[in-house]
């Protein structure tokens, strides 16, 4: 019985050693991935913050929008600025559409 108990104890110690070795390697991998994810998240946060600051600066420097962009909430100012840019682009699209239609009509008349 003593031999069996010794063998069982030895096997238990071996198993515990194997488990500890496996867990320490796994813990290292998990910690490494967590650190990578934290670094990526921090980089994305900084990138977003920089883009927002760049847009704020662009809005402040845009002389045509200074009068209407005087709200204390910069996001409202950004939305106003984007709305104006969208309106300008829509106007250009409409003008291009009209010119294309006129050109097409002249082409039909020529044929």
């Amino acid at each position: 019985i003593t031999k069996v108990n010794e063998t069982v104890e030895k096997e238990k110690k071996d198993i515990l050693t194997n488990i500890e070795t496996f867990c320490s390697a796994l813990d290292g991998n998990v910690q490494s991935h967590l650190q990578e994810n934290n670094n990526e998240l921090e980089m994305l946060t900084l990138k977003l913050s920089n883009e927002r600051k760049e847009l704020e600066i662009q809005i402040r420097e845009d002389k045509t929008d200074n009068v209407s962009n005087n709200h204390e909430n910069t996001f409202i100012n950004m939305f106003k600025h984007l709305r104006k840019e969208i309106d300008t682009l829509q106007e250009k699209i409409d003008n291009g559409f009209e010119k294309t239609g006129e050109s097409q009509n002249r082409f039909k008349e020529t044929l």
Side-chain angles (χ1 to χ4, degrees):
I1 293 181
T2 305
K3 278 260 193 207
V4 171
N5 284 342
E6 287 176 4
T7 307
V8 167
E9 285 300 316
K10 184 178 182 282
E11 287 296 319
K12 280 170 70 176
K13 286 181 183 177
D14 288 346
I15 290 172
L16 283 174
T17 303
N18 289 340
I19 289 173
E20 287 174 355
T21 303
F22 176 76
C23 286
S24 67
L26 184 62
D27 184 49
N29 286 341
V30 168
Q31 292 300 327
S32 172
H33 285 296
L34 283 174
Q35 186 62 41
E36 285 178 27
N37 287 343
N38 284 339
N39 290 344
E40 288 177 11
L41 183 59
E42 186 175 345
M43 289 300 291
L44 288 173
T45 302
L46 289 172
K47 183 178 178 182
L48 179 62
S49 177
N50 286 341
E51 288 175 354
R52 186 177 63 86
K53 290 290 183 189
E54 287 174 8
L55 187 55
E56 285 179 27
I57 291 169
Q58 179 185 357
I59 289 172
R60 285 188 188 121
E61 290 176 350
D62 190 355
K63 301 295 182 196
T64 60
D65 289 343
N66 278 344
V67 175
S68 64
N69 285 335
N70 57 3
H71 199 277
E72 64 186 46
N73 187 336
T74 42
F75 289 108
I76 291 176
N77 292 337
M78 285 183 213
F79 289 134
K80 286 180 180 179
H81 181 76
L82 291 174
R83 182 74 234 161
K84 286 185 178 189
E85 286 192 17
I86 289 170
D87 289 343
T88 302
L89 289 174
Q90 185 62 47
E91 213 173 278
K92 288 180 181 178
I93 290 170
D94 291 342
N95 289 340
F97 184 72
E98 286 176 21
K99 287 180 182 177
T100 304
E102 290 171 5
S103 175
Q104 186 178 13
N105 287 338
R106 280 183 289 201
F107 182 69
K108 283 180 184 178
E109 291 173 2
T110 303
L111 289 177

